[in-house]
């Protein structure tokens, strides 16, 4: 009887946004669209308090993809800024893919801290004027995330069109990462076949011709197994 396959947790998507600024219908359709794809979803509207921040950070660490929805008042929320810093940290460690979405705000304004978005950031800078490290970290996170390939409401609107593009982009990133894992598995399997064939040929032709003593020949055959394991281990680490 075949053993049941181990349970695999569905991929998780973390969404960072300023909930007060986005239409409820947009958020609702986005949640429905992602859940229809059988994805775990954690969405924080920037309303979590300091006591909940550890739980939010854990959700980010457990996620495969983060969708950061920049809006004009995004930097008004301290929680949004904290999330952004954590998302940026994990993405720099190659542990998280990030999709920036520019909702009713231009990519240039976010990256350059200009326009209404920039004005709200200036208010945040004044609020934390005694914490220059936080300001620098926020600026670095904003610039880095905004510089990545993303989606804009200028191109897709602020309704269902943008929702469809977000869902499609998330699916595409997940498929690409799954494809990478499959390619790695195939290559490891290929390494095993090639290494096994090499050891078999060594025993069959080389060892038999050069080891006249039967005891030495048997010893070489026994040693070939740990040699195979060692070769596979080294190749797997490459």
């Amino acid at each position: 009887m075949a053993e049941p396959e181990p349970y695999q947790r569905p991929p998780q998507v973390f969404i960072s946004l300023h909930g007060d600024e986005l239409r409820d219908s947009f958020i609702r359709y986005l949640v429905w669209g992602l859940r229809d794809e059988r994805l775990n979803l954690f969405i924080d509207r920037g309303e979590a308090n300091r006591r909940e921040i550890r739980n939010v950070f854990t959700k980010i660490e457990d996620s495969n993809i983060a969708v950061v929805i920049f809006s004009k008042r995004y930097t008004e929320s301290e929680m949004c800024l904290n999330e952004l810093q954590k998302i940026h940290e994990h993405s720099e460690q190659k542990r998280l893919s990030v999709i920036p979405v520019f909702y009713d705000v231009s990519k240039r304004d976010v990256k350059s801290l200009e326009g209404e978005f920039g004005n709200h950031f200036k208010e945040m800078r004044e609020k934390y004027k005694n914490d220059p490290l936080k300001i620098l970290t926020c600026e670095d996170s904003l610039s880095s995330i905004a510089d990545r390939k993303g989606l804009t409401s200028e191109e897709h609107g602020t309704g269902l069109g943008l929702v469809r593009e977000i869902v499609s982009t998330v699916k595409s990133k997940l498929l690409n990462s799954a494809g990478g894992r499959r390619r790695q598995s195939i290559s490891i399997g290929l390494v095993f076949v090639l290494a096994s064939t090499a050891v078999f040929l060594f025993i069959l032709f080389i060892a038999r011709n050069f080891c006249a003593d039967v005891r030495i020949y048997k010893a070489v055959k026994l040693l070939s197994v740990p040699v195979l394991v060692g070769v596979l281990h080294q190749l797997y680490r490459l």
Side-chain angles (χ1 to χ4, degrees):
M1 187 169 119
E3 293 184 4
E5 293 186 2
Y7 171 76
Q8 291 186 337
R9 180 181 64 85
Q12 180 164 294
V13 179
F14 183 93
I15 300 180
S16 175
L17 54 83
H18 193 308
D20 289 346
E21 195 173 5
L22 276 64
R23 296 202 310 268
D24 285 341
S25 59
F26 173 83
I27 298 172
R28 186 166 57 250
Y29 290 141
L30 180 58
V31 170
W32 288 348
L34 291 169
R35 285 183 175 162
D36 279 348
E37 298 298 329
R38 300 180 183 276
L39 298 172
N40 280 337
L41 178 65
F42 184 87
I43 183 167
D44 175 45
R45 302 188 179 206
E47 299 166 351
N49 57 43
R50 290 176 181 269
R51 289 177 298 178
E52 298 171 324
I53 193 168
R54 288 188 179 180
N55 178 53
V56 172
F57 282 178
T58 298
K59 294 296 184 182
I60 293 173
E61 291 168 359
D62 291 342
S63 296
N64 305 81
I65 292 177
V67 177
V68 179
I69 303 180
F70 291 117
S71 54
K72 292 175 181 177
R73 291 165 44 209
Y74 182 87
T75 57
E76 277 186 352
S77 167
E78 182 178 359
M79 196 63 203
C80 283
L81 292 173
N82 289 332
E83 291 169 4
L84 188 70
Q85 291 175 55
K86 188 68 173 179
I87 289 169
H88 179 241
E89 174 190 327
H90 273 252
S91 67
E92 289 295 293
Q93 297 170 359
K94 310 300 181 185
R95 297 165 63 184
L96 184 69
S97 294
V98 184
I99 302 171
V101 178
F102 303 90
Y103 184 98
D104 199 26
V105 66
S106 73
K107 180 173 183 175
R108 177 182 175 181
D109 282 356
V110 175
K111 185 179 177 181
S112 304
L113 301 176
E114 296 176 350
E116 190 173 339
F117 185 92
N119 291 336
H120 288 295
F121 186 81
K122 289 176 184 176
E123 294 171 3
M124 187 281 295
R125 186 187 282 130
E126 179 64 24
K127 180 180 178 181
Y128 294 103
K129 61 183 178 182
N130 294 325
D131 190 355
L133 181 59
K134 182 177 182 66
I135 294 173
L136 287 173
T137 304
C138 288
E139 288 178 345
D140 183 48
S141 299
L142 283 167
S143 177
S144 176
I145 299 298
D147 199 36
R148 305 179 192 199
K149 184 177 180 181
L151 304 168
T152 68
S153 60
E154 288 179 345
E155 184 176 358
H156 304 291
T158 58
L160 284 174
L162 184 58
V163 168
R164 282 193 293 266
E165 288 300 319
I166 294 173
V167 173
S168 176
T169 304
V170 168
K171 286 172 59 180
S172 177
K173 280 187 175 289
L174 289 173
L175 284 173
N176 288 339
S177 62
R181 288 194 294 272
R182 284 196 294 270
R183 288 192 292 272
Q184 183 185 46
S185 299
I186 293 170
S187 64
I188 292 170
L190 213 56
V191 165
F192 180 81
V193 171
L194 293 173
S196 301
T197 303
V199 170
F200 173 76
L201 292 174
F202 173 77
I203 294 171
L204 186 63
F205 296 107
I206 300 175
R208 178 172 291 180
N209 290 334
F210 288 92
C211 301
D213 191 310
V214 175
R215 289 175 298 178
I216 296 177
Y217 176 66
K218 288 182 177 180
V220 170
K221 286 178 65 178
L222 289 173
L223 285 172
S224 64
V225 176
V227 169
L228 171 60
V229 172
V231 169
L232 286 172
H233 177 68
Q234 293 300 320
L235 289 173
Y236 179 77
R237 292 174 61 188
L238 293 176

